Amino acid sequence: MAERRNVWLVRLIVLVALLVLGNLVNDARLDMKYGWDVRVNCAAVDAHVDGLDPYFVKNLKGTKLSYPYLPVTLDAFRPLCAGGFLVGHYRGLYLGLAVLCGLLLPGLGRTRNLPDVALRVLWVLGAFIGFEWVVASGNFAILSGALTAAALALLLRPAAPAAHDDRHVVPRVVGAALLGLVLSLKLVFCPVLAALYFLPLTRRRKLVLMMVGAAGLVLPLLLSIAFYPQLSSSWLLAITGGIPDQHSVQLDEINPSLLLLARSVMDRVGLADSKPIVFAVYALAASALVLAPLGWSVLRTIGNGEGSLPARLDRWLIDHPHAAMRFSVLAMYGLYLCSPRLKEYAFLELAVYAAVLIVDLPAAALAAVLSIGVAIPTLISLTGETIDGSFVQIAVALACFWIMLLARPAPSAQMVRAAGVEPAQRLRTEGF
């Protein structure tokens, strides 16, 4: 990396790494009772083993929080919670899984090398302080992050020389199914599957991948209904607030999402109780801040040409596989960012998507995302200030999205030749 980056950027990366490491060490030294989510999840598994309904908080020992996952996960999580090992040692295990995320993540059309992998690991550990929240809460978002990294490694395979080459079909199918399974843990993130359309494949194959992902998404739900019918009814009651006097999963909980930002704005003008207005403002904010810039970038990049817009887009994506895969990950990042329920710990998964994109940014853009996405939130955390109930995470994540969207580098000639596309065939790849 030293030959590609300026010396000042290397120094910045070292400084950011020291900040992240210092923040993690500082958190580990605090004498506070962390890990409430891992205790809830394993208490639910234990209650299920004992024949109790885990969706009633009164059946969970040592917690007042509810279990949010589908019934089928109770048996899936049983090996993790057996013997109480996870509850007692989750910090070290979570750190190992976060490092694994960086190791698993692929490069876009470039050879994997140690500096890039190290940069991805640093980003996963420090970006948006999502990992810090995962460690503090013990949330199983760390499992989602690791599985997301594995899914991306399968989906973002090097493009085949021809669009009809079957060599990489099976890994991508497995990756799409795995991504769907990951999204089934928190159904609110299901729109991320739409980003698979930007992969450099024929339209038929992209639609097949989206259907496979959708099947992976609904399979746990169907298994829960088929094999855990009574628990499925309890799960539905629990997440909709149908069980009185206990915690429930609500969209208007305090969390740093665009929906809650819209609600906060409407609260200032006395309209926070009008849900249609709040959701309209939320939709407008998501469109203006994320979806419209992404769509504008697509239109600007593919340019004008013959045929319908979908046909032009399909041709352009196949002819520019590196840019297509980058668009796909940007779309995943953007759609995840637009979620109406984006909890503090969920920013770890957002960091996993962004980690694919940052390593081939120009020096100035990389310095900007490291400063905004890692250094600033880490410094806030080191000062002892809490961001609970604020919009710091969503603000820095949005800023990083815009930087990555606007500062995308053009593919190198080596990457283009490796994809089987001559440089002369590229259309307006200077930037989005």
PDB file of all heavy atoms in Angstrom, residues 58-82:
ATOM      1  N   LYS A  58     -41.092 -12.863  31.140  1.00  0.00           N
ATOM      2  CA  LYS A  58     -41.131 -13.458  32.486  1.00  0.00           C
ATOM      3  C   LYS A  58     -40.460 -14.825  32.524  1.00  0.00           C
ATOM      4  O   LYS A  58     -40.065 -15.285  33.614  1.00  0.00           O
ATOM      5  CB  LYS A  58     -42.580 -13.585  32.951  1.00  0.00           C
ATOM      6  CG  LYS A  58     -43.421 -14.545  32.112  1.00  0.00           C
ATOM      7  CD  LYS A  58     -44.853 -14.613  32.601  1.00  0.00           C
ATOM      8  CE  LYS A  58     -45.678 -15.606  31.763  1.00  0.00           C
ATOM      9  NZ  LYS A  58     -47.089 -15.659  32.233  1.00  0.00           N
ATOM     10  N   ASN A  59     -40.302 -15.472  31.358  1.00  0.00           N
ATOM     11  CA  ASN A  59     -39.642 -16.773  31.310  1.00  0.00           C
ATOM     12  C   ASN A  59     -38.137 -16.680  31.089  1.00  0.00           C
ATOM     13  O   ASN A  59     -37.452 -17.705  31.043  1.00  0.00           O
ATOM     14  CB  ASN A  59     -40.251 -17.642  30.196  1.00  0.00           C
ATOM     15  CG  ASN A  59     -41.694 -17.998  30.475  1.00  0.00           C
ATOM     16  OD1 ASN A  59     -42.087 -18.154  31.633  1.00  0.00           O
ATOM     17  ND2 ASN A  59     -42.489 -18.135  29.414  1.00  0.00           N
ATOM     18  N   LEU A  60     -37.627 -15.464  30.934  1.00  0.00           N
ATOM     19  CA  LEU A  60     -36.198 -15.255  30.694  1.00  0.00           C
ATOM     20  C   LEU A  60     -35.539 -14.790  31.985  1.00  0.00           C
ATOM     21  O   LEU A  60     -35.945 -13.785  32.566  1.00  0.00           O
ATOM     22  CB  LEU A  60     -35.986 -14.211  29.588  1.00  0.00           C
ATOM     23  CG  LEU A  60     -36.692 -14.470  28.253  1.00  0.00           C
ATOM     24  CD1 LEU A  60     -36.320 -13.392  27.245  1.00  0.00           C
ATOM     25  CD2 LEU A  60     -36.360 -15.846  27.715  1.00  0.00           C
ATOM     26  N   LYS A  61     -34.522 -15.491  32.385  1.00  0.00           N
ATOM     27  CA  LYS A  61     -33.860 -15.194  33.652  1.00  0.00           C
ATOM     28  C   LYS A  61     -32.881 -14.025  33.503  1.00  0.00           C
ATOM     29  O   LYS A  61     -32.082 -13.996  32.571  1.00  0.00           O
ATOM     30  CB  LYS A  61     -33.096 -16.427  34.150  1.00  0.00           C
ATOM     31  CG  LYS A  61     -33.986 -17.625  34.441  1.00  0.00           C
ATOM     32  CD  LYS A  61     -33.150 -18.824  34.889  1.00  0.00           C
ATOM     33  CE  LYS A  61     -34.036 -20.036  35.137  1.00  0.00           C
ATOM     34  NZ  LYS A  61     -33.229 -21.222  35.542  1.00  0.00           N
ATOM     35  N   GLY A  62     -32.982 -13.084  34.419  1.00  0.00           N
ATOM     36  CA  GLY A  62     -31.990 -12.022  34.497  1.00  0.00           C
ATOM     37  C   GLY A  62     -32.100 -10.937  33.451  1.00  0.00           C
ATOM     38  O   GLY A  62     -31.111 -10.258  33.168  1.00  0.00           O
ATOM     39  N   THR A  63     -33.266 -10.734  32.867  1.00  0.00           N
ATOM     40  CA  THR A  63     -33.411  -9.690  31.851  1.00  0.00           C
ATOM     41  C   THR A  63     -34.841  -9.189  31.791  1.00  0.00           C
ATOM     42  O   THR A  63     -35.782  -9.894  32.179  1.00  0.00           O
ATOM     43  CB  THR A  63     -33.002 -10.206  30.463  1.00  0.00           C
ATOM     44  OG1 THR A  63     -33.111  -9.144  29.510  1.00  0.00           O
ATOM     45  CG2 THR A  63     -33.896 -11.345  30.013  1.00  0.00           C
ATOM     46  N   LYS A  64     -34.990  -7.965  31.302  1.00  0.00           N
ATOM     47  CA  LYS A  64     -36.311  -7.398  31.049  1.00  0.00           C
ATOM     48  C   LYS A  64     -36.532  -7.149  29.566  1.00  0.00           C
ATOM     49  O   LYS A  64     -37.542  -6.570  29.175  1.00  0.00           O
ATOM     50  CB  LYS A  64     -36.474  -6.083  31.822  1.00  0.00           C
ATOM     51  CG  LYS A  64     -36.449  -6.254  33.337  1.00  0.00           C
ATOM     52  CD  LYS A  64     -36.652  -4.926  34.042  1.00  0.00           C
ATOM     53  CE  LYS A  64     -36.636  -5.104  35.556  1.00  0.00           C
ATOM     54  NZ  LYS A  64     -36.828  -3.805  36.262  1.00  0.00           N
ATOM     55  N   LEU A  65     -35.577  -7.581  28.740  1.00  0.00           N
ATOM     56  CA  LEU A  65     -35.684  -7.419  27.293  1.00  0.00           C
ATOM     57  C   LEU A  65     -36.281  -8.672  26.664  1.00  0.00           C
ATOM     58  O   LEU A  65     -36.238  -9.759  27.238  1.00  0.00           O
ATOM     59  CB  LEU A  65     -34.305  -7.134  26.692  1.00  0.00           C
ATOM     60  CG  LEU A  65     -33.604  -5.877  27.209  1.00  0.00           C
ATOM     61  CD1 LEU A  65     -32.214  -5.773  26.624  1.00  0.00           C
ATOM     62  CD2 LEU A  65     -34.424  -4.643  26.886  1.00  0.00           C
ATOM     63  N   SER A  66     -36.824  -8.517  25.452  1.00  0.00           N
ATOM     64  CA  SER A  66     -37.478  -9.637  24.780  1.00  0.00           C
ATOM     65  C   SER A  66     -36.585 -10.225  23.702  1.00  0.00           C
ATOM     66  O   SER A  66     -35.635  -9.582  23.235  1.00  0.00           O
ATOM     67  CB  SER A  66     -38.800  -9.178  24.152  1.00  0.00           C
ATOM     68  OG  SER A  66     -38.581  -8.138  23.221  1.00  0.00           O
ATOM     69  N   TYR A  67     -36.888 -11.455  23.309  1.00  0.00           N
ATOM     70  CA  TYR A  67     -36.134 -12.158  22.273  1.00  0.00           C
ATOM     71  C   TYR A  67     -36.736 -11.817  20.912  1.00  0.00           C
ATOM     72  O   TYR A  67     -37.925 -12.069  20.679  1.00  0.00           O
ATOM     73  CB  TYR A  67     -36.198 -13.664  22.521  1.00  0.00           C
ATOM     74  CG  TYR A  67     -35.391 -14.497  21.558  1.00  0.00           C
ATOM     75  CD1 TYR A  67     -34.009 -14.474  21.590  1.00  0.00           C
ATOM     76  CD2 TYR A  67     -36.011 -15.319  20.621  1.00  0.00           C
ATOM     77  CE1 TYR A  67     -33.251 -15.235  20.725  1.00  0.00           C
ATOM     78  CE2 TYR A  67     -35.262 -16.092  19.749  1.00  0.00           C
ATOM     79  CZ  TYR A  67     -33.888 -16.056  19.804  1.00  0.00           C
ATOM     80  OH  TYR A  67     -33.127 -16.809  18.936  1.00  0.00           O
ATOM     81  N   PRO A  68     -35.967 -11.251  19.958  1.00  0.00           N
ATOM     82  CA  PRO A  68     -36.566 -10.723  18.725  1.00  0.00           C
ATOM     83  C   PRO A  68     -36.542 -11.665  17.526  1.00  0.00           C
ATOM     84  O   PRO A  68     -37.182 -11.369  16.521  1.00  0.00           O
ATOM     85  CB  PRO A  68     -35.684  -9.502  18.432  1.00  0.00           C
ATOM     86  CG  PRO A  68     -34.327  -9.930  18.916  1.00  0.00           C
ATOM     87  CD  PRO A  68     -34.557 -10.835  20.097  1.00  0.00           C
ATOM     88  N   TYR A  69     -35.808 -12.774  17.611  1.00  0.00           N
ATOM     89  CA  TYR A  69     -35.571 -13.579  16.409  1.00  0.00           C
ATOM     90  C   TYR A  69     -36.656 -14.633  16.203  1.00  0.00           C
ATOM     91  O   TYR A  69     -37.403 -14.973  17.122  1.00  0.00           O
ATOM     92  CB  TYR A  69     -34.200 -14.255  16.486  1.00  0.00           C
ATOM     93  CG  TYR A  69     -33.045 -13.300  16.608  1.00  0.00           C
ATOM     94  CD1 TYR A  69     -32.348 -13.169  17.801  1.00  0.00           C
ATOM     95  CD2 TYR A  69     -32.668 -12.495  15.536  1.00  0.00           C
ATOM     96  CE1 TYR A  69     -31.286 -12.280  17.921  1.00  0.00           C
ATOM     97  CE2 TYR A  69     -31.613 -11.601  15.651  1.00  0.00           C
ATOM     98  CZ  TYR A  69     -30.925 -11.495  16.846  1.00  0.00           C
ATOM     99  OH  TYR A  69     -29.890 -10.618  16.959  1.00  0.00           O
ATOM    100  N   LEU A  70     -36.717 -15.158  14.986  1.00  0.00           N
ATOM    101  CA  LEU A  70     -37.702 -16.177  14.630  1.00  0.00           C
ATOM    102  C   LEU A  70     -37.514 -17.441  15.467  1.00  0.00           C
ATOM    103  O   LEU A  70     -36.399 -17.749  15.917  1.00  0.00           O
ATOM    104  CB  LEU A  70     -37.574 -16.527  13.148  1.00  0.00           C
ATOM    105  CG  LEU A  70     -38.085 -15.486  12.151  1.00  0.00           C
ATOM    106  CD1 LEU A  70     -37.575 -15.797  10.748  1.00  0.00           C
ATOM    107  CD2 LEU A  70     -39.613 -15.440  12.165  1.00  0.00           C
ATOM    108  N   PRO A  71     -38.580 -18.227  15.679  1.00  0.00           N
ATOM    109  CA  PRO A  71     -38.476 -19.439  16.501  1.00  0.00           C
ATOM    110  C   PRO A  71     -37.426 -20.438  16.031  1.00  0.00           C
ATOM    111  O   PRO A  71     -36.797 -21.104  16.861  1.00  0.00           O
ATOM    112  CB  PRO A  71     -39.888 -20.036  16.414  1.00  0.00           C
ATOM    113  CG  PRO A  71     -40.771 -18.860  16.192  1.00  0.00           C
ATOM    114  CD  PRO A  71     -39.982 -17.925  15.325  1.00  0.00           C
ATOM    115  N   VAL A  72     -37.212 -20.543  14.720  1.00  0.00           N
ATOM    116  CA  VAL A  72     -36.253 -21.525  14.222  1.00  0.00           C
ATOM    117  C   VAL A  72     -34.842 -21.219  14.718  1.00  0.00           C
ATOM    118  O   VAL A  72     -34.002 -22.130  14.821  1.00  0.00           O
ATOM    119  CB  VAL A  72     -36.290 -21.584  12.679  1.00  0.00           C
ATOM    120  CG1 VAL A  72     -35.702 -20.325  12.065  1.00  0.00           C
ATOM    121  CG2 VAL A  72     -35.581 -22.819  12.161  1.00  0.00           C
ATOM    122  N   THR A  73     -34.571 -19.975  15.058  1.00  0.00           N
ATOM    123  CA  THR A  73     -33.229 -19.609  15.525  1.00  0.00           C
ATOM    124  C   THR A  73     -32.943 -20.139  16.920  1.00  0.00           C
ATOM    125  O   THR A  73     -31.776 -20.235  17.323  1.00  0.00           O
ATOM    126  CB  THR A  73     -33.054 -18.080  15.527  1.00  0.00           C
ATOM    127  OG1 THR A  73     -34.043 -17.493  16.399  1.00  0.00           O
ATOM    128  CG2 THR A  73     -33.229 -17.510  14.135  1.00  0.00           C
ATOM    129  N   LEU A  74     -33.976 -20.496  17.675  1.00  0.00           N
ATOM    130  CA  LEU A  74     -33.754 -20.998  19.027  1.00  0.00           C
ATOM    131  C   LEU A  74     -32.922 -22.273  19.017  1.00  0.00           C
ATOM    132  O   LEU A  74     -32.040 -22.469  19.856  1.00  0.00           O
ATOM    133  CB  LEU A  74     -35.105 -21.242  19.717  1.00  0.00           C
ATOM    134  CG  LEU A  74     -35.906 -19.981  20.054  1.00  0.00           C
ATOM    135  CD1 LEU A  74     -37.347 -20.324  20.353  1.00  0.00           C
ATOM    136  CD2 LEU A  74     -35.268 -19.252  21.232  1.00  0.00           C
ATOM    137  N   ASP A  75     -33.200 -23.156  18.062  1.00  0.00           N
ATOM    138  CA  ASP A  75     -32.400 -24.370  17.944  1.00  0.00           C
ATOM    139  C   ASP A  75     -31.096 -24.112  17.208  1.00  0.00           C
ATOM    140  O   ASP A  75     -30.087 -24.781  17.465  1.00  0.00           O
ATOM    141  CB  ASP A  75     -33.205 -25.459  17.229  1.00  0.00           C
ATOM    142  CG  ASP A  75     -34.311 -26.038  18.115  1.00  0.00           C
ATOM    143  OD1 ASP A  75     -34.040 -26.243  19.311  1.00  0.00           O
ATOM    144  OD2 ASP A  75     -35.427 -26.257  17.620  1.00  0.00           O
ATOM    145  N   ALA A  76     -31.098 -23.123  16.284  1.00  0.00           N
ATOM    146  CA  ALA A  76     -29.866 -22.791  15.570  1.00  0.00           C
ATOM    147  C   ALA A  76     -28.835 -22.195  16.520  1.00  0.00           C
ATOM    148  O   ALA A  76     -27.629 -22.445  16.386  1.00  0.00           O
ATOM    149  CB  ALA A  76     -30.163 -21.824  14.427  1.00  0.00           C
ATOM    150  N   PHE A  77     -29.290 -21.406  17.496  1.00  0.00           N
ATOM    151  CA  PHE A  77     -28.379 -20.755  18.437  1.00  0.00           C
ATOM    152  C   PHE A  77     -28.020 -21.649  19.626  1.00  0.00           C
ATOM    153  O   PHE A  77     -27.151 -21.281  20.421  1.00  0.00           O
ATOM    154  CB  PHE A  77     -29.001 -19.460  18.974  1.00  0.00           C
ATOM    155  CG  PHE A  77     -29.146 -18.366  17.946  1.00  0.00           C
ATOM    156  CD1 PHE A  77     -30.058 -17.335  18.134  1.00  0.00           C
ATOM    157  CD2 PHE A  77     -28.372 -18.363  16.796  1.00  0.00           C
ATOM    158  CE1 PHE A  77     -30.191 -16.321  17.201  1.00  0.00           C
ATOM    159  CE2 PHE A  77     -28.503 -17.356  15.846  1.00  0.00           C
ATOM    160  CZ  PHE A  77     -29.416 -16.332  16.056  1.00  0.00           C
ATOM    161  N   ARG A  78     -28.669 -22.803  19.763  1.00  0.00           N
ATOM    162  CA  ARG A  78     -28.439 -23.636  20.946  1.00  0.00           C
ATOM    163  C   ARG A  78     -26.973 -24.038  21.120  1.00  0.00           C
ATOM    164  O   ARG A  78     -26.440 -23.953  22.234  1.00  0.00           O
ATOM    165  CB  ARG A  78     -29.337 -24.885  20.905  1.00  0.00           C
ATOM    166  CG  ARG A  78     -29.239 -25.731  22.160  1.00  0.00           C
ATOM    167  CD  ARG A  78     -30.114 -26.967  22.092  1.00  0.00           C
ATOM    168  NE  ARG A  78     -31.532 -26.647  21.979  1.00  0.00           N
ATOM    169  CZ  ARG A  78     -32.496 -27.567  22.045  1.00  0.00           C
ATOM    170  NH1 ARG A  78     -32.182 -28.849  22.201  1.00  0.00           N
ATOM    171  NH2 ARG A  78     -33.758 -27.212  21.937  1.00  0.00           N
ATOM    172  N   PRO A  79     -26.279 -24.460  20.047  1.00  0.00           N
ATOM    173  CA  PRO A  79     -24.864 -24.813  20.248  1.00  0.00           C
ATOM    174  C   PRO A  79     -24.012 -23.626  20.705  1.00  0.00           C
ATOM    175  O   PRO A  79     -23.034 -23.809  21.441  1.00  0.00           O
ATOM    176  CB  PRO A  79     -24.422 -25.298  18.856  1.00  0.00           C
ATOM    177  CG  PRO A  79     -25.680 -25.706  18.173  1.00  0.00           C
ATOM    178  CD  PRO A  79     -26.722 -24.757  18.672  1.00  0.00           C
ATOM    179  N   LEU A  80     -24.381 -22.419  20.278  1.00  0.00           N
ATOM    180  CA  LEU A  80     -23.606 -21.242  20.678  1.00  0.00           C
ATOM    181  C   LEU A  80     -23.738 -20.956  22.170  1.00  0.00           C
ATOM    182  O   LEU A  80     -22.780 -20.509  22.817  1.00  0.00           O
ATOM    183  CB  LEU A  80     -24.065 -20.012  19.882  1.00  0.00           C
ATOM    184  CG  LEU A  80     -23.898 -20.057  18.361  1.00  0.00           C
ATOM    185  CD1 LEU A  80     -24.503 -18.805  17.738  1.00  0.00           C
ATOM    186  CD2 LEU A  80     -22.437 -20.182  17.983  1.00  0.00           C
ATOM    187  N   CYS A  81     -24.923 -21.215  22.709  1.00  0.00           N
ATOM    188  CA  CYS A  81     -25.206 -20.842  24.097  1.00  0.00           C
ATOM    189  C   CYS A  81     -24.978 -21.984  25.076  1.00  0.00           C
ATOM    190  O   CYS A  81     -25.130 -21.790  26.289  1.00  0.00           O
ATOM    191  CB  CYS A  81     -26.649 -20.351  24.214  1.00  0.00           C
ATOM    192  SG  CYS A  81     -26.994 -18.825  23.292  1.00  0.00           S
ATOM    193  N   ALA A  82     -24.652 -23.162  24.573  1.00  0.00           N
ATOM    194  CA  ALA A  82     -24.501 -24.323  25.445  1.00  0.00           C
ATOM    195  C   ALA A  82     -23.404 -24.101  26.484  1.00  0.00           C
ATOM    196  O   ALA A  82     -22.316 -23.626  26.171  1.00  0.00           O
ATOM    197  CB  ALA A  82     -24.188 -25.570  24.608  1.00  0.00           C
TER     198      ALA A  82
END
